[in-house]
Amino acid sequence: MTNNSNLLSPSASLRLCVKILLALFLLAASSPAVAQTSDNTEPLRMACQYLWSQQAEDGGWHSEQYAVLRSGQALTPFVLHALLAVPESICARPKDGVGRALEFIRKHVDEEGALGHADPDILEYPVYSTAYAIQCLTAVQDDPSLTKENDRELISKLSSYLSMAQFDEAEGFDTTHAAYGGWGFDVAKGRGESGHMDLAHTRRAVQALRCVVPTARSSDFTRAELFLRVVQRDPGALAVPHGSSRYLYSADTVPFDGGFFFSPIVEDANKGRFSATLNGQAAPHFRSYATATCDGVLALLAAGVPRDDERVLRAAEWLRQHDDLTYPQGVPIDHPEPWGEAIRFYHYAVRSEAYAALRWPESWRSELALEVARHQALDGSFRNEASPLMKEDEPLLCTGLATIALTYCHSSSSER
Protein backbone atom coordinates (compact mmCIF):
# COMPACT_ATOMS: atom_id res chain seq x y z
CA MET A 1 0.00 0.00 0.00
CA THR A 2 1.26 3.47 -0.86
CA ASN A 3 1.87 5.84 2.05
CA ASN A 4 -0.04 9.07 1.25
CA SER A 5 0.74 10.86 4.51
CA ASN A 6 3.20 13.29 2.75
CA LEU A 7 0.97 14.08 -0.22
CA LEU A 8 -0.85 17.44 -0.42
CA SER A 9 -4.60 17.59 -0.38
CA PRO A 10 -6.28 18.68 -3.67
CA SER A 11 -6.94 22.17 -2.28
CA ALA A 12 -3.35 22.53 -1.05
CA SER A 13 -2.03 21.39 -4.42
CA LEU A 14 -4.17 23.98 -6.16
CA ARG A 15 -2.89 26.75 -3.86
CA LEU A 16 0.70 25.67 -4.53
CA CYS A 17 0.15 25.72 -8.30
CA VAL A 18 -1.34 29.20 -8.08
CA LYS A 19 1.67 30.43 -6.06
CA ILE A 20 4.12 28.96 -8.56
CA LEU A 21 2.30 30.50 -11.52
CA LEU A 22 2.14 33.87 -9.77
CA ALA A 23 5.86 33.76 -9.01
CA LEU A 24 6.67 32.90 -12.62
CA PHE A 25 4.46 35.75 -13.84
CA LEU A 26 6.14 38.27 -11.53
CA LEU A 27 9.58 37.07 -12.61
CA ALA A 28 8.67 37.43 -16.29
CA ALA A 29 7.15 40.87 -15.77
CA SER A 30 10.39 42.13 -14.23
CA SER A 31 12.61 40.66 -16.97
CA PRO A 32 13.18 41.65 -20.60
CA ALA A 33 10.89 39.88 -23.02
CA VAL A 34 12.99 38.04 -25.58
CA ALA A 35 11.22 37.76 -28.91
CA GLN A 36 10.15 34.18 -29.52
CA THR A 37 8.95 34.78 -33.03
CA SER A 38 10.69 35.21 -36.36
CA ASP A 39 8.33 38.10 -37.11
CA ASN A 40 10.50 41.16 -36.49
CA THR A 41 7.47 43.43 -36.59
CA GLU A 42 6.09 42.27 -33.24
CA PRO A 43 8.69 44.05 -31.05
CA LEU A 44 8.15 47.19 -33.13
CA ARG A 45 4.38 46.99 -32.74
CA MET A 46 4.72 46.52 -28.99
CA ALA A 47 7.11 49.46 -28.69
CA CYS A 48 4.74 51.73 -30.60
CA GLN A 49 1.76 50.66 -28.55
CA TYR A 50 3.70 51.44 -25.38
CA LEU A 51 4.62 54.92 -26.62
CA TRP A 52 1.06 55.72 -27.68
CA SER A 53 -0.20 54.52 -24.30
CA GLN A 54 2.07 57.09 -22.63
CA GLN A 55 0.74 60.10 -24.56
CA ALA A 56 -0.62 62.65 -22.09
CA GLU A 57 -3.95 64.45 -22.26
CA ASP A 58 -2.23 67.56 -23.65
CA GLY A 59 -0.93 65.52 -26.60
CA GLY A 60 2.68 65.47 -25.43
CA TRP A 61 5.06 62.96 -23.91
CA HIS A 62 6.50 63.91 -20.52
CA SER A 63 9.27 62.35 -18.47
CA GLU A 64 8.44 61.44 -14.91
CA GLN A 65 12.13 60.88 -14.25
CA TYR A 66 14.09 63.88 -15.53
CA ALA A 67 13.12 67.51 -14.96
CA VAL A 68 14.87 68.57 -18.17
CA LEU A 69 12.46 66.35 -20.14
CA ARG A 70 9.34 66.90 -18.05
CA SER A 71 7.69 69.69 -20.02
CA GLY A 72 7.50 67.54 -23.16
CA GLN A 73 9.05 70.12 -25.47
CA ALA A 74 11.95 67.78 -26.33
CA LEU A 75 10.36 64.37 -25.90
CA THR A 76 7.18 65.10 -27.86
CA PRO A 77 8.70 65.90 -31.28
CA PHE A 78 11.29 63.15 -30.80
CA VAL A 79 8.73 60.46 -29.96
CA LEU A 80 6.26 61.64 -32.60
CA HIS A 81 8.97 61.63 -35.28
CA ALA A 82 9.80 58.03 -34.39
CA LEU A 83 6.14 56.98 -34.49
CA LEU A 84 5.39 58.73 -37.79
CA ALA A 85 8.01 56.54 -39.49
CA VAL A 86 6.19 53.33 -38.49
CA PRO A 87 3.69 52.03 -41.08
CA GLU A 88 0.15 51.81 -39.76
CA SER A 89 0.05 48.24 -41.05
CA ILE A 90 2.37 47.46 -38.14
CA CYS A 91 0.82 49.71 -35.52
CA ALA A 92 -2.39 51.64 -36.01
CA ARG A 93 -2.26 55.14 -34.59
CA PRO A 94 -4.93 56.05 -32.03
CA LYS A 95 -7.61 58.43 -33.20
CA ASP A 96 -6.38 62.03 -32.98
CA GLY A 97 -3.07 60.87 -31.50
CA VAL A 98 -0.94 62.48 -34.21
CA GLY A 99 -3.15 65.56 -34.37
CA ARG A 100 -2.94 66.17 -30.62
CA ALA A 101 0.84 65.77 -30.65
CA LEU A 102 1.18 68.22 -33.52
CA GLU A 103 -1.02 70.69 -31.70
CA PHE A 104 1.21 70.35 -28.63
CA ILE A 105 4.21 71.22 -30.81
CA ARG A 106 2.49 74.20 -32.42
CA LYS A 107 1.47 75.64 -29.05
CA HIS A 108 5.00 75.49 -27.66
CA VAL A 109 6.84 77.33 -30.46
CA ASP A 110 8.04 80.63 -29.01
CA GLU A 111 8.52 84.02 -30.64
CA GLU A 112 12.04 83.07 -31.79
CA GLY A 113 10.67 80.04 -33.60
CA ALA A 114 12.03 77.47 -31.17
CA LEU A 115 10.84 74.80 -28.77
CA GLY A 116 12.62 74.34 -25.47
CA HIS A 117 12.47 77.82 -23.94
CA ALA A 118 9.17 77.57 -22.05
CA ASP A 119 10.82 77.29 -18.63
CA PRO A 120 13.33 80.12 -18.08
CA ASP A 121 15.19 77.98 -15.54
CA ILE A 122 15.51 74.83 -17.68
CA LEU A 123 16.79 74.87 -21.24
CA GLU A 124 15.14 71.88 -22.93
CA TYR A 125 17.42 71.18 -25.89
CA PRO A 126 16.03 73.91 -28.22
CA VAL A 127 18.02 72.92 -31.32
CA TYR A 128 17.14 69.22 -30.94
CA SER A 129 13.50 69.97 -30.19
CA THR A 130 13.10 72.45 -33.01
CA ALA A 131 14.80 70.17 -35.52
CA TYR A 132 12.46 67.29 -34.71
CA ALA A 133 9.46 69.63 -34.78
CA ILE A 134 10.34 70.62 -38.34
CA GLN A 135 10.66 66.99 -39.36
CA CYS A 136 7.27 66.14 -37.83
CA LEU A 137 5.49 69.04 -39.51
CA THR A 138 7.04 68.36 -42.91
CA ALA A 139 6.28 64.63 -42.62
CA VAL A 140 2.53 65.32 -42.52
CA GLN A 141 2.36 68.32 -44.85
CA ASP A 142 0.66 66.31 -47.61
CA ASP A 143 -2.10 65.12 -45.28
CA PRO A 144 -4.84 67.78 -45.13
CA SER A 145 -6.37 66.14 -42.06
CA LEU A 146 -3.23 66.83 -40.04
CA THR A 147 -2.01 70.17 -41.35
CA LYS A 148 -3.06 73.67 -40.36
CA GLU A 149 -3.38 76.69 -42.60
CA ASN A 150 -0.35 78.42 -41.09
CA ASP A 151 1.95 75.38 -40.91
CA ARG A 152 4.09 76.55 -43.82
CA GLU A 153 4.65 79.85 -42.05
CA LEU A 154 5.42 77.96 -38.82
CA ILE A 155 7.94 75.70 -40.56
CA SER A 156 9.62 78.77 -42.02
CA LYS A 157 9.80 80.32 -38.57
CA LEU A 158 11.32 77.18 -37.07
CA SER A 159 13.83 76.99 -39.91
CA SER A 160 14.83 80.62 -39.40
CA TYR A 161 15.63 79.85 -35.76
CA LEU A 162 17.85 76.92 -36.78
CA SER A 163 19.68 79.04 -39.34
CA MET A 164 20.19 81.74 -36.71
CA ALA A 165 21.48 79.16 -34.22
CA GLN A 166 24.28 78.02 -36.55
CA PHE A 167 27.66 79.32 -35.44
CA ASP A 168 28.84 81.67 -38.19
CA GLU A 169 30.15 85.17 -38.85
CA ALA A 170 26.98 86.84 -37.58
CA GLU A 171 27.78 85.55 -34.06
CA GLY A 172 31.50 86.27 -34.19
CA PHE A 173 32.78 82.95 -35.50
CA ASP A 174 35.11 82.62 -38.49
CA THR A 175 36.30 79.58 -40.39
CA THR A 176 39.30 79.09 -38.09
CA HIS A 177 37.01 78.54 -35.09
CA ALA A 178 36.40 74.85 -34.40
CA ALA A 179 32.67 75.44 -33.83
CA TYR A 180 32.15 77.29 -37.12
CA GLY A 181 29.30 75.80 -39.15
CA GLY A 182 28.01 73.62 -36.33
CA TRP A 183 25.18 73.75 -33.81
CA GLY A 184 24.86 73.33 -30.07
CA PHE A 185 22.10 73.38 -27.45
CA ASP A 186 20.90 76.83 -28.49
CA VAL A 187 22.03 80.04 -30.16
CA ALA A 188 25.52 81.31 -29.33
CA LYS A 189 26.00 82.40 -25.72
CA GLY A 190 27.99 85.44 -26.87
CA ARG A 191 30.28 86.71 -29.61
CA GLY A 192 32.43 83.74 -30.58
CA GLU A 193 31.17 81.77 -27.57
CA SER A 194 29.29 78.64 -28.58
CA GLY A 195 28.62 76.98 -25.25
CA HIS A 196 28.00 73.25 -25.55
CA MET A 197 28.03 72.13 -29.18
CA ASP A 198 28.53 68.82 -30.94
CA LEU A 199 28.02 66.64 -33.98
CA ALA A 200 24.67 65.20 -32.85
CA HIS A 201 23.01 68.61 -32.65
CA THR A 202 24.58 69.55 -35.97
CA ARG A 203 23.28 66.42 -37.66
CA ARG A 204 19.68 67.05 -36.50
CA ALA A 205 19.77 70.68 -37.58
CA VAL A 206 21.12 69.84 -41.04
CA GLN A 207 18.56 67.06 -41.53
CA ALA A 208 15.71 69.36 -40.49
CA LEU A 209 16.83 72.12 -42.85
CA ARG A 210 17.14 69.54 -45.64
CA CYS A 211 13.48 68.65 -45.09
CA VAL A 212 12.60 72.27 -45.84
CA VAL A 213 14.82 72.55 -48.93
CA PRO A 214 15.03 68.98 -50.27
CA THR A 215 17.32 69.71 -53.24
CA ALA A 216 18.73 73.22 -52.97
CA ARG A 217 22.21 74.18 -51.86
CA SER A 218 22.50 76.88 -49.23
CA SER A 219 25.15 78.58 -47.12
CA ASP A 220 23.87 76.66 -44.08
CA PHE A 221 24.97 73.39 -45.67
CA THR A 222 28.26 74.81 -46.96
CA ARG A 223 29.18 76.02 -43.48
CA ALA A 224 28.09 72.71 -41.97
CA GLU A 225 30.50 70.87 -44.28
CA LEU A 226 33.39 72.89 -42.85
CA PHE A 227 32.44 71.81 -39.35
CA LEU A 228 32.09 68.19 -40.48
CA ARG A 229 35.63 68.28 -41.86
CA VAL A 230 36.87 69.24 -38.39
CA VAL A 231 35.12 66.39 -36.55
CA GLN A 232 36.21 63.89 -39.22
CA ARG A 233 39.82 65.10 -38.91
CA ASP A 234 39.80 65.71 -42.65
CA PRO A 235 43.08 67.13 -44.07
CA GLY A 236 41.02 69.92 -45.62
CA ALA A 237 39.72 71.15 -42.25
CA LEU A 238 40.27 74.85 -41.66
CA ALA A 239 40.08 74.76 -37.86
CA VAL A 240 41.87 72.96 -35.04
CA PRO A 241 39.96 71.20 -32.22
CA HIS A 242 40.61 72.84 -28.86
CA GLY A 243 42.15 69.79 -27.28
CA SER A 244 44.61 69.31 -30.11
CA SER A 245 45.74 72.92 -29.93
CA ARG A 246 47.47 72.18 -26.63
CA TYR A 247 49.97 70.14 -28.61
CA LEU A 248 52.08 70.72 -31.69
CA TYR A 249 49.37 70.31 -34.28
CA SER A 250 50.12 69.09 -37.78
CA ALA A 251 47.56 67.92 -40.31
CA ASP A 252 50.18 65.53 -41.63
CA THR A 253 50.32 63.58 -38.38
CA VAL A 254 46.70 63.67 -37.24
CA PRO A 255 45.01 60.50 -38.51
CA PHE A 256 42.25 60.74 -41.11
CA ASP A 257 40.76 57.28 -40.70
CA GLY A 258 37.30 58.21 -41.97
CA GLY A 259 35.72 58.08 -38.54
CA PHE A 260 34.23 60.98 -36.59
CA PHE A 261 34.49 62.30 -33.07
CA PHE A 262 31.74 64.18 -31.24
CA SER A 263 32.81 67.70 -30.32
CA PRO A 264 35.87 69.88 -31.01
CA ILE A 265 34.80 72.23 -28.19
CA VAL A 266 33.60 70.08 -25.27
CA GLU A 267 36.51 67.71 -24.80
CA ASP A 268 34.90 65.46 -22.17
CA ALA A 269 31.91 64.84 -24.42
CA ASN A 270 34.08 62.73 -26.72
CA LYS A 271 33.45 59.19 -25.59
CA GLY A 272 36.33 57.87 -27.69
CA ARG A 273 38.57 60.04 -25.46
CA PHE A 274 41.80 61.82 -26.49
CA SER A 275 45.12 60.43 -27.68
CA ALA A 276 48.35 62.41 -28.02
CA THR A 277 50.06 59.77 -30.11
CA LEU A 278 49.47 57.28 -32.91
CA ASN A 279 51.78 54.33 -33.48
CA GLY A 280 54.33 55.90 -31.17
CA GLN A 281 54.37 59.22 -33.01
CA ALA A 282 53.01 62.58 -31.88
CA ALA A 283 49.51 62.81 -33.32
CA PRO A 284 47.12 64.66 -30.99
CA HIS A 285 43.54 63.71 -31.82
CA PHE A 286 40.15 62.74 -30.49
CA ARG A 287 39.56 59.11 -31.40
CA SER A 288 36.84 58.06 -33.81
CA TYR A 289 33.95 56.00 -32.47
CA ALA A 290 30.86 54.34 -33.86
CA THR A 291 27.96 56.56 -32.83
CA ALA A 292 29.78 59.74 -33.84
CA THR A 293 30.71 58.19 -37.18
CA CYS A 294 27.10 57.22 -37.85
CA ASP A 295 25.98 60.76 -37.03
CA GLY A 296 28.75 62.10 -39.24
CA VAL A 297 27.65 60.03 -42.24
CA LEU A 298 24.04 61.13 -41.82
CA ALA A 299 25.08 64.78 -41.52
CA LEU A 300 27.28 64.59 -44.62
CA LEU A 301 24.48 63.11 -46.71
CA ALA A 302 21.94 65.61 -45.38
CA ALA A 303 24.33 68.44 -46.26
CA GLY A 304 24.30 67.23 -49.85
CA VAL A 305 27.62 65.38 -49.98
CA PRO A 306 27.35 62.57 -52.58
CA ARG A 307 27.61 58.94 -51.48
CA ASP A 308 30.69 58.47 -53.70
CA ASP A 309 32.55 61.37 -52.05
CA GLU A 310 35.77 60.30 -50.33
CA ARG A 311 34.52 61.54 -46.94
CA VAL A 312 31.44 59.30 -47.12
CA LEU A 313 33.37 56.34 -48.50
CA ARG A 314 36.01 56.57 -45.80
CA ALA A 315 33.37 56.84 -43.08
CA ALA A 316 31.57 53.81 -44.50
CA GLU A 317 34.85 51.90 -44.52
CA TRP A 318 35.42 52.80 -40.88
CA LEU A 319 31.98 51.41 -40.03
CA ARG A 320 32.70 48.27 -42.04
CA GLN A 321 35.85 47.70 -40.00
CA HIS A 322 33.99 48.40 -36.76
CA ASP A 323 30.78 46.46 -37.33
CA ASP A 324 29.92 45.30 -33.81
CA LEU A 325 26.18 45.83 -33.40
CA THR A 326 26.28 45.21 -29.66
CA TYR A 327 28.83 47.85 -28.64
CA PRO A 328 29.86 51.25 -30.06
CA GLN A 329 33.43 50.47 -30.99
CA GLY A 330 35.97 53.21 -30.44
CA VAL A 331 34.56 53.89 -26.97
CA PRO A 332 37.10 52.43 -24.50
CA ILE A 333 35.79 49.46 -22.55
CA ASP A 334 38.13 50.15 -19.61
CA HIS A 335 37.02 53.72 -18.86
CA PRO A 336 35.89 54.31 -15.26
CA GLU A 337 32.53 55.50 -16.53
CA PRO A 338 30.59 53.02 -18.72
CA TRP A 339 30.01 55.33 -21.70
CA GLY A 340 29.68 52.47 -24.16
CA GLU A 341 26.87 50.90 -22.17
CA ALA A 342 25.29 54.31 -21.54
CA ILE A 343 24.73 54.91 -25.27
CA ARG A 344 23.60 51.37 -26.09
CA PHE A 345 20.22 52.32 -27.57
CA TYR A 346 21.52 55.47 -29.22
CA HIS A 347 24.02 53.19 -30.95
CA TYR A 348 21.26 50.87 -32.12
CA ALA A 349 19.28 53.80 -33.54
CA VAL A 350 22.06 55.67 -35.34
CA ARG A 351 23.67 52.47 -36.62
CA SER A 352 20.38 51.48 -38.26
CA GLU A 353 19.88 54.97 -39.70
CA ALA A 354 23.40 55.09 -41.11
CA TYR A 355 23.21 51.59 -42.58
CA ALA A 356 19.92 52.39 -44.29
CA ALA A 357 21.26 55.68 -45.62
CA LEU A 358 24.39 53.99 -46.96
CA ARG A 359 22.29 51.16 -48.45
CA TRP A 360 24.33 48.67 -46.49
CA PRO A 361 24.52 45.32 -48.28
CA GLU A 362 24.84 43.05 -45.26
CA SER A 363 22.15 41.10 -43.39
CA TRP A 364 22.16 43.63 -40.57
CA ARG A 365 18.42 44.13 -40.27
CA SER A 366 17.54 40.76 -38.76
CA GLU A 367 20.68 40.71 -36.60
CA LEU A 368 20.10 44.16 -35.15
CA ALA A 369 16.36 43.55 -34.68
CA LEU A 370 17.11 40.49 -32.53
CA GLU A 371 19.75 42.39 -30.57
CA VAL A 372 17.32 45.22 -29.81
CA ALA A 373 14.31 42.99 -29.09
CA ARG A 374 16.10 40.97 -26.42
CA HIS A 375 15.98 44.03 -24.15
CA GLN A 376 12.22 44.59 -24.49
CA ALA A 377 9.97 44.35 -21.44
CA LEU A 378 6.60 42.65 -21.53
CA ASP A 379 4.77 45.98 -21.73
CA GLY A 380 6.68 46.84 -24.92
CA SER A 381 8.98 49.39 -23.32
CA PHE A 382 12.76 49.59 -23.25
CA ARG A 383 14.99 50.89 -20.49
CA ASN A 384 18.77 50.91 -20.37
CA GLU A 385 19.50 49.51 -16.93
CA ALA A 386 23.26 49.46 -17.53
CA SER A 387 23.85 53.17 -16.95
CA PRO A 388 21.92 56.43 -16.47
CA LEU A 389 24.75 58.60 -17.84
CA MET A 390 22.87 59.46 -21.05
CA LYS A 391 19.35 59.22 -19.61
CA GLU A 392 18.58 55.98 -21.46
CA ASP A 393 17.06 54.70 -18.23
CA GLU A 394 14.14 57.00 -19.11
CA PRO A 395 11.69 54.57 -20.81
CA LEU A 396 10.16 57.12 -23.22
CA LEU A 397 13.56 58.16 -24.51
CA CYS A 398 14.90 54.61 -24.63
CA THR A 399 11.78 53.17 -26.28
CA GLY A 400 11.88 55.98 -28.84
CA LEU A 401 15.46 55.04 -29.74
CA ALA A 402 14.53 51.36 -29.94
CA THR A 403 11.57 52.21 -32.16
CA ILE A 404 13.85 54.05 -34.59
CA ALA A 405 16.19 51.07 -34.75
CA LEU A 406 13.40 48.52 -35.20
CA THR A 407 11.74 50.64 -37.89
CA TYR A 408 14.89 50.69 -39.99
CA CYS A 409 15.39 46.99 -39.33
CA HIS A 410 11.89 46.23 -40.56
CA SER A 411 12.19 47.16 -44.20
CA SER A 412 14.38 48.72 -46.83
CA SER A 413 11.51 51.13 -47.43
CA SER A 414 13.06 53.30 -44.72
CA GLU A 415 16.20 53.92 -46.77
CA ARG A 416 16.91 57.56 -47.45
Side-chain angles (χ1 to χ4, degrees), residues 183-196:
W183 279 265
F185 281 160
D186 200 356
V187 297
K189 297 178 68 175
R191 297 286 299 174
E193 186 181 358
S194 66
H196 181 99

Side-chain angles (χ1 to χ4, degrees), residues 11 20 72 75 94 105 111 120 123 136 183 222-223 225 227 233 237 246 262 267 272 274 302 337 339-340 350 371 395:
S11 59
I20 292 173
L75 273 178
I105 291 171
E111 289 301 315
L123 192 68
C136 290
W183 279 265
T222 302
R223 286 190 290 265
E225 280 194 55
F227 173 76
R233 303 189 308 276
R246 296 201 304 263
F262 190 63
E267 297 179 32
F274 186 84
E337 295 180 309
W339 287 112
V350 295
E371 168 62 21

Side-chain angles (χ1 to χ4, degrees), residues 287-353:
R287 299 186 187 94
S288 303
Y289 60 101
T291 51
T293 302
C294 290
D295 275 333
V297 164
L298 293 165
L300 283 173
L301 295 174
V305 177
R307 284 186 176 84
D308 59 358
D309 185 277
E310 181 190 15
R311 289 166 289 170
V312 176
L313 294 176
R314 291 290 295 273
E317 178 60 20
W318 193 97
L319 290 173
R320 189 190 66 78
Q321 294 178 10
H322 302 83
D323 60 353
D324 189 344
L325 298 178
T326 67
Y327 188 86
Q329 289 169 284
V331 179
I333 60 175
D334 57 352
H335 193 271
E337 295 180 309
W339 287 112
E341 289 80 6
I343 55 174
R344 173 182 291 161
F345 286 85
Y346 188 83
H347 178 228
Y348 295 155
V350 295
R351 178 77 74 160
S352 68
E353 291 174 288

Side-chain angles (χ1 to χ4, degrees), residues 114-290:
L115 277 77
H117 293 145
D119 188 335
D121 297 323
I122 300 178
L123 192 68
E124 196 161 339
Y125 309 107
V127 165
Y128 251 95
S129 306
T130 305
Y132 277 118
I134 290 173
Q135 294 184 73
C136 290
L137 289 166
T138 55
V140 302
Q141 62 187 350
D142 294 329
D143 187 339
S145 68
L146 295 174
T147 56
K148 297 288 187 181
E149 185 177 349
N150 64 340
D151 274 358
R152 289 186 182 276
E153 179 182 344
L154 183 61
I155 291 170
S156 177
K157 187 176 182 179
L158 292 162
S159 303
S160 295
Y161 163 78
L162 281 188
S163 292
M164 179 181 64
Q166 188 179 32
F167 303 128
D168 58 18
E169 292 84 354
E171 287 76 37
F173 298 85
D174 61 32
T175 57
T176 64
H177 196 293
Y180 182 87
W183 279 265
F185 281 160
D186 200 356
V187 297
K189 297 178 68 175
R191 297 286 299 174
E193 186 181 358
S194 66
H196 181 99
M197 66 87 55
D198 57 55
L199 174 56
H201 281 84
T202 299
R203 171 207 148 183
R204 269 71 182 191
V206 174
Q207 287 181 317
L209 291 172
R210 178 57 70 191
C211 288
V212 180
V213 284
T215 58
R217 295 290 298 168
S218 77
S219 56
D220 293 336
F221 300 134
T222 302
R223 286 190 290 265
E225 280 194 55
L226 293 180
F227 173 76
L228 295 174
R229 286 186 183 276
V230 173
V231 288
Q232 197 178 16
R233 303 189 308 276
D234 187 280
L238 300 179
V240 178
H242 285 192
S244 297
S245 65
R246 296 201 304 263
Y247 299 83
L248 179 63
Y249 184 89
S250 169
D252 295 331
T253 60
V254 174
F256 173 52
D257 60 10
F260 284 76
F261 64 95
F262 190 63
S263 176
I265 301 298
V266 189
E267 297 179 32
D268 291 343
N270 291 294
K271 297 164 187 65
R273 319 320 296 173
F274 186 84
S275 176
T277 61
L278 180 69
N279 299 326
Q281 302 296 316
H285 65 283
F286 294 105
R287 299 186 187 94
S288 303
Y289 60 101

Side-chain angles (χ1 to χ4, degrees), residues 79-95:
V79 171
L80 179 61
H81 179 255
L83 289 169
L84 287 173
V86 180
E88 288 208 77
S89 59
I90 294 177
C91 181
R93 301 164 187 166
K95 183 181 180 182

Side-chain angles (χ1 to χ4, degrees), residues 367-383:
E367 295 172 15
L368 183 56
L370 288 173
E371 168 62 21
V372 175
R374 72 185 182 90
H375 299 287
Q376 190 169 35
L378 289 176
D379 65 356
S381 68
F382 292 84
R383 185 194 297 265

Side-chain angles (χ1 to χ4, degrees), residues 65-81:
Q65 189 165 343
Y66 290 105
V68 73
L69 297 173
R70 192 162 295 152
S71 79
Q73 295 171 93
L75 273 178
T76 300
F78 168 72
V79 171
L80 179 61
H81 179 255

